Amino acid sequence: MSGHSKWATIKHRKGAADAKRGKLFAKLIKQVEVAARTGGGDLDANPTLRTMYQKARDNSVPLDTIERAVKRGTGELEGVDYEQITYEGYAPGGIALLIECLTDNRNRTSSEIRSTLTKHGGSLAEPGAVSWQFERKGVVLVPTSVDEEDLMMLTVDAGAEDIVDEGEMWRITTAPSDLNEVREALDEAEVAVEFADLAMLPTSTVEMTDASDLKKLLNLIEVLDDLDDVQDVQDNSEAAADLVESVRAG
């Protein structure tokens, strides 16, 4: 996979999302609140909450804001009852999409997702049409300046399943339950972590070779990411690093 990067495209679009800091904060706070509502407010007993808590901290969400979100989730403070929904769809070129949402109005969200896909040349799929092509994993990215053998020694005992060279980054994959342990092992060794989160990884990918098609895909994903109810968008595309750079520069 060296030279071809699924995560280069993700980093590209995350940069665009991060520029909208206020909207990003709102999404992260919502994720913390839902994780606390689902599994309780104890970070040690709720690994999903621990992941979302750390994700919010990594993105500089103020600590008191995160703690209020936890309290809303546990019922100590009044909050909104969000519903978790995953929509399945296709981007132009048949690229599979999983669109993960948190919403207090299913009809509104469904309408927004459908119209956005249609407007950008995609389509909504029936439940189950796409999801079978993905599996939930923990994903951690660290710079390839870290020695691979050292990285293996640090992470394998903590639960790392695979380490892949993504060009500028090592991509470490874990079982969802082991993500926090791997992250903690890296933090204790003072290894810089560029990205750590749960993600739906494709079991196989579709290589994109046309810059125009890749640009359309990234534009669609960025528009979806910008919707208030959308928390994450995963796809099964893969592209050569130089093509991603070309689109990024263009």
Side-chain angles (χ1 to χ4, degrees), residues 130-151:
V130 165
S131 58
W132 64 271
Q133 301 177 60
F134 295 80
E135 59 182 351
R136 187 166 291 281
K137 292 288 184 182
V139 176
V140 183
L141 298 182
V142 302
T144 48
S145 56
V146 180
D147 180 77
E148 182 178 11
E149 188 171 335
D150 290 344
L151 195 59

Side-chain angles (χ1 to χ4, degrees), residues 3-242:
H4 288 70
S5 181
K6 162 75 184 160
W7 293 90
T9 60
I10 286 180
K11 238 186 138 189
H12 169 74
R13 74 174 188 254
K14 290 297 182 188
D18 289 352
K20 302 162 185 172
R21 183 62 63 181
K23 184 161 287 190
L24 176 65
F25 275 20
K27 292 188 178 190
L28 293 172
I29 292 163
K30 191 184 292 186
Q31 290 173 7
V32 170
E33 186 173 337
V34 170
R37 179 172 292 118
T38 302
D42 184 345
L43 292 178
D44 292 329
N46 185 347
T48 301
L49 176 61
R50 193 156 75 250
T51 298
M52 298 310 168
Y53 188 102
Q54 184 62 55
K55 183 178 175 183
R57 293 295 292 147
D58 287 346
N59 285 277
S60 303
V61 178
L63 186 58
D64 62 339
T65 301
I66 300 173
E67 290 175 346
R68 283 198 301 272
V70 173
K71 289 179 179 178
R72 287 196 298 273
T74 59
E76 294 177 65
L77 296 175
E78 185 177 354
V80 177
D81 189 8
Y82 294 109
E83 180 181 7
Q84 295 177 293
I85 309 174
T86 298
Y87 295 93
E88 303 178 35
Y90 295 100
I95 299 298
L97 297 173
L98 282 183
I99 307 160
E100 297 180 282
C101 301
L102 293 173
T103 180
D104 60 352
N105 187 324
R106 176 188 283 260
N107 290 335
R108 178 196 67 226
T109 304
S110 178
S111 176
E112 288 179 343
I113 297 296
R114 185 185 299 276
S115 63
T116 299
L117 287 170
T118 301
K119 184 176 180 180
H120 291 83
S123 61
L124 202 60
E126 292 295 320
V130 165
S131 58
W132 64 271
Q133 301 177 60
F134 295 80
E135 59 182 351
R136 187 166 291 281
K137 292 288 184 182
V139 176
V140 183
L141 298 182
V142 302
T144 48
S145 56
V146 180
D147 180 77
E148 182 178 11
E149 188 171 335
D150 290 344
L151 195 59
M152 289 180 65
M153 292 288 289
L154 282 170
T155 61
V156 168
D157 287 345
E161 295 180 344
D162 193 20
I163 299 176
V164 175
D165 184 354
E166 291 275 11
E168 296 179 356
M169 296 285 163
W170 296 114
R171 171 168 58 85
I172 306 166
T173 55
T174 77
S177 59
D178 291 330
L179 173 62
N180 290 302
E181 284 72 13
V182 170
R183 171 66 188 265
E184 288 169 6
L186 293 167
D187 286 345
E188 287 176 9
E190 298 184 346
V191 174
V193 173
E194 296 288 331
F195 177 95
D197 201 358
L198 297 172
M200 294 295 288
L201 294 185
T203 53
S204 62
T205 56
V206 176
E207 185 176 352
M208 305 195 73
T209 58
D210 184 86
S212 176
D213 288 344
L214 181 58
K215 185 173 183 178
K216 289 177 184 177
L217 172 65
L218 290 174
N219 284 343
L220 169 58
I221 290 171
E222 287 178 7
V223 173
L224 287 167
D225 272 333
D226 199 38
L227 297 176
D228 290 341
D229 296 335
V230 172
Q231 301 304 303
D232 202 6
V233 184
Q234 299 291 343
D235 66 274
N236 68 341
S237 70
E238 191 170 354
D242 57 354

